[in-house]
Amino acid sequence: MSLTQTVHVDLAERAYDIHIGPDLLPQVGAYVAPLGGRGHVCILTDATVAGLHLEALKAGLAQAGIGSDALILPPGEATKSWSALEQSVEWLLSQKVERGDVVIAFGGGVIGDLAGFAAAVLRRGVRFVQIPTSLLAQVDSSVGGKTGINSPHGKNLVGAFHQPSLVLADTALLGTLRPRDFLAGYGEVVKYGLLGDAAFFEWLEEQGPALAAGDMVARVQAVTRSCQMKADIVQRDETEQGDRALLNLGHTFCHALEAATGYSDRLLHGEGVAVGCALAFELSARMGLCSQEDPSRVRAHMRQMGMKVDMADIDGGLPDAEGLLALMAQDKKVLDGKLRFILARGIGDAFITSDVPSDAVLGVLQDALELKASRG
Ligand code: GLY
C-alpha cells in the first residue's frame, strides 16, 4: 500500500500540490511530465545531494522520457549568494531554458531558495519544482514560495515570492541525513505543534523517538501535518502581511543567536529555531500569558529528542543580554523600530505582538546566559 499523501496549496492560479511519501524519486517523471516543457529539465543541486541521489533523480525522469542536465553547486549557506545566483542564471540561459520550461531544485533549503529565486528572475519567471532532500526543506522552506539569497547585510535580504509548480517530498531521502541535521529539521516540525496544534505536539511527544529512529509511517505523517499547517497559513497570507509571521515562532531569538555564532556550524538554523521556541515560551510564561508548565513541557520534549534546547547547549561564548537584544533589533522582522515577537497563550496557541517590554526579554536572556555560565 502506498504511503503517499498529498497536500494542496490553494493559491488560485498559483495553486500546487505537495506529495509526501517514501518512494517518489523513482516516480518523479510521472509527476513532472504533466507540467509540459520540452521533455528536458534543468536541475540545480549541490555536491552532497548529487553524490547521493542525482543518478536516481535522472533515472526517475528518464522513465517518463524526460532528459536532464544538472548544475552541481558547492554545499553550504555560502551558496545562497549573488555569485551562485549569477552562475545559476547564466547556466540556465546557456541551457536555453525558455518560459515554458521547468527547473528542478534538488536539495535542502539553500538550493531550494537559490533555485527558486533563479527561476523567479529568469526570463521574468519560469516554473520550478521543489524536490527537498532535508527535513527542514520538506516541512518549511520548499513550501510557500519564499525564495532568495543572502547579502553581506544579512540573511534572505534579496529575494522574491515565487511559488513552485509542484513539491515532491521523498521521505526515504531523509535516511541519508546526519542525525544532527535531521534533529535540526525536527525543530521546525515541533514549531508547528507549538504554534497552532496542541494535539500534534502531543502526538510528537509520543511518536518523536520512533520518527527519529526511522519509522516511515510516522515520518510521512509528521511531514504531511507540517506541510498542511504551512499551506493553511500561506493560503491565508501568502506575502506575510499578517498571519504568516506565526511561522516565525522562535525566530526573533534564533536570528540573534545565529548572528552571534556567525551563521556557522556552531548553530544550525533548525537548532536555533528550537532554542528560540523554548525562549519564546519562557518569555510568554514570565509575561503571564501561558502557564509555567508550558515552557517546561516544550523543553522536556526537546531534551527527550536529544536536541539543543538552551543557550547552554551552544558551544563557545555568546554576547551578553544587551548584545543579543541589539542583534534582535537588526532582524528584518523589526517593524517601525519595534521588536516583533511570536508569543503563546499555551501550547498550540501562538500570536503575534510588538507589545513586549525590553526588560522582560533581557530577563529571559540574562537567566539563559547565567545557566550557560554555570554549566561552564
Ligand atoms: N519560513 C517561514 C515562511 O516561509 O514564512
Side-chain angles (χ1 to χ4, degrees):
M1 196 191 71
S2 169
L3 292 180
T4 303
Q5 301 285 319
T6 300
V7 172
H8 184 64
V9 188
D10 194 359
L11 289 171
E13 69 281 5
R14 293 179 307 289
Y16 55 97
D17 285 332
I18 308 163
H19 301 289
I20 302 131
D23 48 8
L24 298 180
L25 214 52
Q27 307 171 56
V28 60
Y31 285 104
V32 170
L35 298 177
R38 287 172 300 163
H40 183 273
V41 293
C42 284
I43 302 163
L44 295 176
T45 188
D46 73 31
T48 308
V49 173
L52 292 166
H53 306 298
L54 184 57
E55 255 178 57
L57 172 60
K58 287 171 85 74
L61 289 163
Q63 286 277 330
I66 302 173
S68 58
D69 282 289
L71 176 66
I72 301 173
L73 294 155
E77 190 71 27
T79 292
K80 261 176 73 169
S81 64
W82 284 109
S83 62
L85 178 70
E86 181 181 8
Q87 188 188 352
S88 303
V89 170
E90 292 298 337
W91 178 75
L92 291 167
L93 288 170
S94 74
Q95 294 289 315
K96 309 215 176 339
V97 172
E98 294 176 5
R99 283 293 287 277
D101 288 340
V102 174
V103 171
I104 293 185
F106 187 46
V110 167
I111 288 294
D113 286 7
L114 172 79
F117 191 35
V121 296
L122 186 76
R123 298 187 185 277
R124 299 201 177 87
V126 300
R127 292 170 305 161
F128 79 116
V129 172
Q130 288 271 19
I131 307 186
T133 56
S134 69
L135 181 57
L136 186 136
Q138 292 193 353
V139 299
D140 182 37
S141 58
S142 70
V143 174
K146 279 190 182 175
T147 72
I149 56 170
N150 302 328
S151 140
H153 290 280
K155 273 182 73 166
N156 297 324
L157 291 183
V158 181
F161 285 100
H162 186 51
Q163 298 292 343
S165 300
L166 173 71
V167 181
L168 296 177
D170 187 329
T171 46
L173 304 183
L174 303 177
T176 55
L177 293 179
R178 293 185 305 170
R180 185 178 175 198
D181 288 316
F182 184 90
L183 282 183
Y186 185 77
E188 297 275 4
V189 176
V190 172
K191 181 194 78 177
Y192 287 107
L194 296 179
L195 76 87
D197 188 345
F200 182 48
F201 182 76
E202 204 175 315
W203 182 85
L204 290 171
E205 287 178 314
E206 284 158 19
Q207 299 295 322
L211 196 154
D215 182 320
M216 198 53 83
V217 174
R219 284 185 173 191
V220 171
Q221 214 169 324
V223 175
T224 303
R225 182 63 192 132
S226 300
C227 287
Q228 185 65 63
M229 288 189 71
K230 181 147 187 185
D232 289 346
I233 290 173
V234 168
Q235 281 161 201
R236 290 206 298 274
D237 176 22
E238 186 178 0
T239 57
E240 201 168 315
Q241 308 302 310
D243 265 12
R244 185 165 178 161
L246 289 170
L247 297 170
N248 297 326
L249 176 62
H251 282 60
T252 306
F253 288 107
C254 171
H255 285 302
L257 294 170
E258 281 185 296
T261 50
Y263 300 98
S264 70
D265 210 38
R266 282 176 62 199
L267 185 71
L268 304 177
H269 177 68
E271 293 173 336
V273 169
V275 174
C277 284
L279 289 167
F281 267 81
E282 184 61 38
L283 179 57
S284 302
R286 290 194 191 190
M287 290 175 66
L289 295 163
C290 69
S291 81
Q292 294 292 338
E293 283 75 48
D294 287 334
S296 307
R297 192 174 155 200
V298 171
R299 289 223 282 273
H301 177 53
M302 293 176 177
R303 274 276 166 251
Q304 171 202 22
M305 295 297 291
M307 300 160 72
K308 284 191 173 37
V309 182
D310 295 307
M311 283 194 212
D313 299 322
I314 303 170
D315 290 337
L318 289 174
D320 63 12
E322 278 82 9
L324 286 171
L325 192 64
L327 288 172
M328 285 181 183
Q330 284 170 18
D331 186 51
K332 71 178 186 303
K333 291 174 185 69
V334 172
L335 277 186
D336 303 327
K338 279 197 151 182
L339 277 176
R340 194 162 46 138
F341 281 90
I342 316 303
L343 297 181
R345 297 185 191 91
I347 287 174
D349 189 7
F351 66 101
I352 305 160
T353 178
S354 299
D355 194 14
V356 181
S358 314
D359 282 356
V361 183
L362 280 171
V364 167
L365 293 171
Q366 261 148 7
D367 289 352
L369 287 164
E370 263 168 42
L371 176 71
K372 181 168 168 54
S374 73
R375 286 212 210 148

